[in-house]
Amino acid sequence: MKATTKYFIYPENLNILDLASIVSMYRSRGEPVKAPSGEYFACAESRKLIKEAKYWFGLYYSQQAWNDYLTPDSGGYPLTDIEMDIMAKILYPQKETPVMRQEVEESLDIVPQLGFLIINDLRQFGFIEEDESNFLYLTASGEAALQGIASRVFQKPFSSDLFVSRQGKEEKPKIKKAEKQADRQIRLF
């Protein structure tokens, strides 16, 4: 059971967006933004009006709120429960061998394409390593980041027991494939 919601969360219905929109929103998370002249943003945490904010999937956070949402040992990376799941699946693989990247991407509660982006970022931040065979390994800083997000979410260190209790979630969302103009059949009658 989660003890707090004071951490970053991807929107539940992110799968309604096309892939280009998901990538754009993902890439612009955490960017500083300034409200146009005469306008304001509302901080998602404090509900106060602010002129400058950090962007997160349609939400705006004051710098103080953003800092409060960052978890220990995250290195400034906005960790969510999805990143926690990725790192846990690498730390506690379901079998004796290390876990493959594709297995992790397809097992997440998000579209696999977003999982691909997140894994790339976790690699860039040094939380995970990937070998030439696409096996994933958690680094020491990744383990510390996992413990930081777990401590925030559950108010206790991450363990294999927590990982097992997080398994068996609902089916992952899919991105609906757009119809091509040539695939449409015109009804004449």
Side-chain angles (χ1 to χ4, degrees):
M1 184 166 78
K2 294 180 179 179
T4 183
T5 58
K6 198 167 187 165
Y7 61 94
F8 296 101
I9 300 171
Y10 294 109
E12 225 174 79
N13 63 343
L14 197 59
N15 62 318
I16 66 169
L17 300 175
D18 60 86
L19 184 57
S21 297
I22 291 173
V23 170
S24 175
M25 291 182 93
Y26 180 78
R27 287 292 170 221
S28 61
R29 76 203 192 293
E31 285 185 359
V33 291
K34 289 185 180 189
S37 181
E39 294 182 28
Y40 291 87
F41 298 124
C43 175
E45 173 67 16
S46 70
R47 306 287 191 235
K48 292 181 180 177
L49 295 175
I50 53 178
K51 290 294 279 174
E52 295 181 14
K54 294 266 187 141
Y55 177 79
W56 177 267
F57 293 92
L59 298 175
Y60 298 94
Y61 291 89
S62 68
Q63 184 64 56
Q64 181 61 50
W66 184 266
N67 292 344
D68 291 346
Y69 271 58
L70 291 174
T71 55
D73 297 310
S74 70
Y77 184 95
L79 293 172
T80 72
D81 54 345
I82 299 297
E83 283 85 357
M84 181 171 60
D85 281 350
I86 291 169
M87 292 187 285
K89 287 174 184 194
I90 296 168
L91 186 60
Y92 300 109
Q94 301 267 325
K95 51 192 188 240
E96 295 297 317
T97 60
V99 68
M100 291 194 74
R101 180 186 183 120
Q102 185 177 357
E103 291 173 37
V104 173
E105 289 171 3
E106 292 174 354
S107 70
L108 300 172
D109 292 332
I110 55 172
V111 294
Q113 296 89 340
L114 182 56
F116 177 84
L117 293 172
I118 293 170
I119 289 172
N120 283 348
D121 282 357
L122 290 174
R123 282 181 57 213
Q124 279 190 318
F125 269 76
F127 297 142
I128 62 176
E129 292 178 349
E130 183 176 6
D131 69 14
E132 61 281 342
S133 300
N134 298 105
F135 287 111
L136 299 174
Y137 302 92
L138 196 63
T139 64
S141 60
E143 233 177 299
L146 173 61
Q147 291 303 331
I149 183 69
S151 292
R152 175 71 57 87
V153 175
F154 300 110
Q155 301 296 304
K156 61 182 178 181
F158 198 86
S159 66
S160 60
D161 296 337
L162 272 179
F163 178 65
V164 170
S165 71
R166 291 185 56 78
Q167 297 304 297
K169 290 184 176 183
E170 66 278 355
E171 193 175 312
K172 65 185 177 308
K174 305 261 190 245
I175 294 179
K176 187 177 176 181
K177 187 176 179 181
E179 271 185 34
K180 293 179 183 174
Q181 196 72 345
D183 293 343
R184 295 185 190 160
Q185 192 172 20
I186 300 172
R187 290 187 177 207
L188 299 175
F189 303 102

